[in-house]
Amino acid sequence: MVNGYLATSLQEALEIRAREVVTPYGGGTDLMIEPKEDATYLFLGKVPELKKISEDNQYIRIGAAATFTDILESELIPAILKEAVSQIAAPAIRNLGTAGGNICNGSPKGDSTLIFFATDAKLRLVSKNSERIIPIAEFFLGRKKIALKEDELLVEILLSRTGLANYYYKKVGARDALAISRVAFAAVMDIVDGKIAACKTAFGAVSDCFIRRPDIDGMLENKTIEEAKTLREQYLAAYDQAIVPIKGRISAEYRKTVCMNLLRDFLESNGI
């Protein structure tokens, strides 16, 4: 029998988190496949504050317990995230699985998490007595390792409201959907007044963590498309060095080839 708590408010959840050693979860689509008998769980799927999807002047704010179905049905969510979420499992799983769970699972194969990496999303982490907001890249410390303190909860994902319209997303798996990614790639390129205001790329299911290299992508920023063309081979060569796939059922060589092909296709789709 699984032991646990059901929180009905954020305050209640934070108080439980502060005094008990618990494992928080929202949908349990991954966690509850093999629950640990000696663990105590904290169910967050009934906390209204964690279910909200809203916006302010700067961010789209996605509650950590918002389900993938909630995300698909929200008018505030940009197309890049909806496309990725639409390929997550079957409707029954999307009805339960949550954005926060996908992140806190710590897997480099998380479909929605890849989008949050590619868009440099921020995470709002809250405990009973403190609060902090950190870039998602700082939250991932390695495969299944995250920077969540024992008394904290992931409360919101903060996604930029602007610069995400021109996007590229590909998930390469055994099937188009309902499959764990062999390689996944997401990117955005924001072109303003003829110049590349932002270039952001991220690779998933390739290494122990998502690959996001702002230093390399920065090579193309503040350049015109014609200027970016002259840097194309230098840019690709930098990523060729940066992408070091782990070994698995799918060969590292295959993953590397797919990554580079997707990156080239992204550049070509933007005239570079």
Side-chain angles (χ1 to χ4, degrees), residues 47-114:
V47 177
E49 298 98 317
L50 301 182
K51 300 282 291 179
K52 289 170 41 178
I53 299 175
S54 61
E55 66 178 348
D56 57 25
N57 291 335
Q58 190 173 3
Y59 298 113
I60 298 164
R61 309 179 75 98
I62 303 170
T67 67
F68 297 127
T69 297
D70 293 334
I71 288 170
L72 284 171
E73 292 177 350
S74 172
E75 295 180 356
L76 299 178
I77 299 297
I80 183 174
L81 181 54
K82 285 193 174 185
E83 183 168 340
V85 166
S86 70
Q87 296 185 38
I88 294 176
I93 298 297
R94 292 198 293 270
N95 289 341
L96 290 174
T98 65
N102 207 221
I103 292 171
C104 290
N105 189 32
S107 170
K109 297 181 180 181
D111 292 294
S112 65
T113 309
L114 172 69

Side-chain angles (χ1 to χ4, degrees), residues 33-270:
I33 293 173
E34 295 182 1
K36 297 178 181 178
E37 292 185 5
D38 59 344
T40 300
Y41 293 93
L42 172 59
F43 180 60
L44 302 171
K46 298 294 184 181
V47 177
E49 298 98 317
L50 301 182
K51 300 282 291 179
K52 289 170 41 178
I53 299 175
S54 61
E55 66 178 348
D56 57 25
N57 291 335
Q58 190 173 3
Y59 298 113
I60 298 164
R61 309 179 75 98
I62 303 170
T67 67
F68 297 127
T69 297
D70 293 334
I71 288 170
L72 284 171
E73 292 177 350
S74 172
E75 295 180 356
L76 299 178
I77 299 297
I80 183 174
L81 181 54
K82 285 193 174 185
E83 183 168 340
V85 166
S86 70
Q87 296 185 38
I88 294 176
I93 298 297
R94 292 198 293 270
N95 289 341
L96 290 174
T98 65
N102 207 221
I103 292 171
C104 290
N105 189 32
S107 170
K109 297 181 180 181
D111 292 294
S112 65
T113 309
L114 172 69
I115 305 305
F116 298 134
F117 259 82
T119 56
D120 289 339
K122 293 180 172 63
L123 305 180
R124 181 175 166 232
L125 310 174
V126 180
S127 70
K128 184 179 178 181
N129 298 312
S130 66
E131 178 175 331
R132 61 192 177 116
I133 295 176
I134 65 171
I136 192 169
E138 294 180 12
F139 188 71
F140 277 72
L141 306 177
R143 188 178 184 277
K144 298 291 183 178
K145 296 179 181 179
I146 57 175
L148 187 70
K149 297 177 182 178
E150 289 188 359
D151 63 343
E152 285 183 328
L153 292 174
L154 168 59
V155 171
E156 284 184 316
I157 303 117
L158 308 182
L159 191 63
S160 174
R161 288 185 57 193
T162 61
L164 307 184
N166 180 28
Y167 75 90
Y168 183 104
Y169 173 74
K170 294 288 184 181
K171 175 180 176 179
V172 179
R175 303 185 294 273
D176 288 340
L178 312 185
I180 295 174
S181 300
R182 290 176 175 172
V183 173
F185 175 68
V188 293
M189 184 172 286
D190 189 25
I191 301 173
V192 179
D193 296 331
K195 285 193 173 184
I196 300 170
C199 175
K200 302 177 181 181
T201 65
F203 299 86
V206 177
S207 187
D208 284 336
C209 190
F210 295 91
I211 297 174
R212 170 81 179 96
R213 291 292 300 269
D215 56 330
I216 299 176
D217 289 335
M219 294 169 59
L220 304 184
E221 293 180 342
N222 298 313
K223 305 292 192 300
T224 65
I225 296 298
E226 290 305 313
E227 289 170 338
K229 284 181 182 179
T230 67
L231 296 168
R232 173 188 165 95
E233 295 309 314
Q234 184 181 346
Y235 174 82
L236 290 171
Y239 261 116
D240 190 58
Q241 292 292 316
I243 298 171
V244 182
I246 57 174
K247 295 180 180 179
R249 288 181 298 173
I250 307 302
S251 74
E253 292 80 9
Y254 169 82
R255 284 195 176 101
K256 179 68 165 283
T257 299
V258 172
C259 286
M260 295 306 297
N261 285 343
L262 292 173
L263 189 58
R264 290 187 183 95
D265 194 42
F266 163 63
L267 294 178
E268 289 170 6
S269 71
N270 284 282

